[in-house]
C-alpha cells in the first residue's frame, strides 16, 4: 500500500496485487490512530467475501468469489469498538458478464489495483453491540 496524495483530511491510497484492503486498512487505522473516517474504493479484485445479514437468525451468510472482477463501488467507514478500529463497508462488484454481486464486505483482495479515497473525521465514531439487531451499531 502506498499513500499517493494527502490533501487536508483526505488521502488517496493505492493497494497492489494480493493485498487484502480490509485487513490492511485496519492496520493503517491502528498505526495512524484513526478514530473516525469514511472511505470509498474502486479498482479490480480477484477475491472477495461478501455477506448478507439474516436479521431473523442474527447472523451473516457469507459468500466468497474467487474470480477477476471490477470493484464497481465500495463505501464504508472506520470507527472504534472496545479500543480497536472497526470497519463497516458495503460493496458492488461486476464479473466478466457485467453481472454484479454485492453486500456487506468482509474481504477484498486486489488484483490489478485498488484505489482508496480515505477522509479522516474530527471526533470519534464509536460502535457497541445492539441486542435487538445483533449488530455493532454506531452510538
Ligand atoms: Zn453491513
Amino acid at each position: 500500500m502506498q499513500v499517493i496524495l494527502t490533501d487536508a483530511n483526505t488521502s488517496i491510497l493505492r493497494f497492489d496485487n494480493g493485498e487484502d484492503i480490509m485487513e490492511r486498512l485496519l492496520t493503517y487505522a491502528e498505526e495512524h490512530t484513526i478514530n473516525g473516517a469514511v472511505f470509498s474504493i474502486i479498482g479490480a479484485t480477484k477475491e472477495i467475501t461478501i455477506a448478507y445479514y439474516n436479521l431473523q437468525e442474527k447472523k451473516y451468510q457469507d459468500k466468497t468469489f474467487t474470480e477477476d472482477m471490477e470493484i464497481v463501488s465500495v463505501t464504508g467507514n472506520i470507527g472504534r469498538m472496545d479500543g480497536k478500529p472497526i470497519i463497516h463497508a458495503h460493496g458492488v462488484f461486476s464479473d466478466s458478464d457485467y453481472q454484479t454481486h454485492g453486500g456487506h464486505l468482509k474481504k477484498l483482495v486486489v488484483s490489478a489495483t485498488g484505489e482508496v479515497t480515505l477522509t479522516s473525521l474530527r471526533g470519534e465514531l464509536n460502535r457497541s453491540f445492539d441486542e435487538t439487531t445483533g449488530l455493532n451499531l454506531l452510538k
Side-chain angles (χ1 to χ4, degrees):
M1 187 274 290
Q2 296 175 52
V3 178
I4 302 297
L5 172 79
T6 298
D7 178 32
N9 299 334
T10 299
S11 294
I12 306 295
L13 312 176
R14 187 187 111 186
F15 292 79
D16 296 322
N17 184 26
E19 289 187 294
D20 178 351
I21 295 183
M22 301 299 281
E23 194 181 279
R24 291 284 289 113
L25 212 47
L26 261 188
T27 307
Y28 184 83
E30 188 69 62
E31 289 168 355
H32 293 80
T33 324
I34 294 172
N35 298 318
V38 292
F39 64 88
S40 62
I41 309 171
I42 56 172
T45 179
K46 59 185 178 185
E47 181 182 350
I48 57 168
T49 299
I50 54 177
Y52 168 80
Y53 189 69
N54 185 321
L55 191 55
Q56 251 62 44
E57 296 180 15
K58 293 185 181 175
K59 66 179 188 187
Y60 284 103
Q61 298 167 199
D62 294 359
K63 184 160 185 175
T64 295
F65 295 81
T66 51
E67 62 187 273
D68 289 329
M69 291 196 281
E70 297 284 342
I71 304 170
V72 176
S73 180
V74 171
T75 187
N77 58 58
I78 303 173
R80 289 254 156 193
M81 186 168 164
D82 302 327
K84 292 181 183 165
I86 181 170
I87 293 178
H88 186 207
H90 287 192
V92 182
F93 308 88
S94 69
D95 64 21
S96 58
D97 293 323
Y98 309 97
Q99 299 298 305
T100 56
H101 309 275
H104 175 94
L105 185 58
K106 292 191 164 181
K107 186 175 188 179
L108 175 56
V109 181
V110 173
S111 57
T113 192
E115 300 176 353
V116 177
T117 304
L118 176 69
T119 300
S120 295
L121 305 171
R122 284 194 206 107
E124 290 189 10
L125 283 181
N126 286 300
R127 291 186 178 275
S128 63
F129 181 73
D130 175 68
E131 295 270 346
T132 309
T133 58
L135 294 166
N136 299 323
L137 300 183
L138 291 170
K139 61 177 184 180

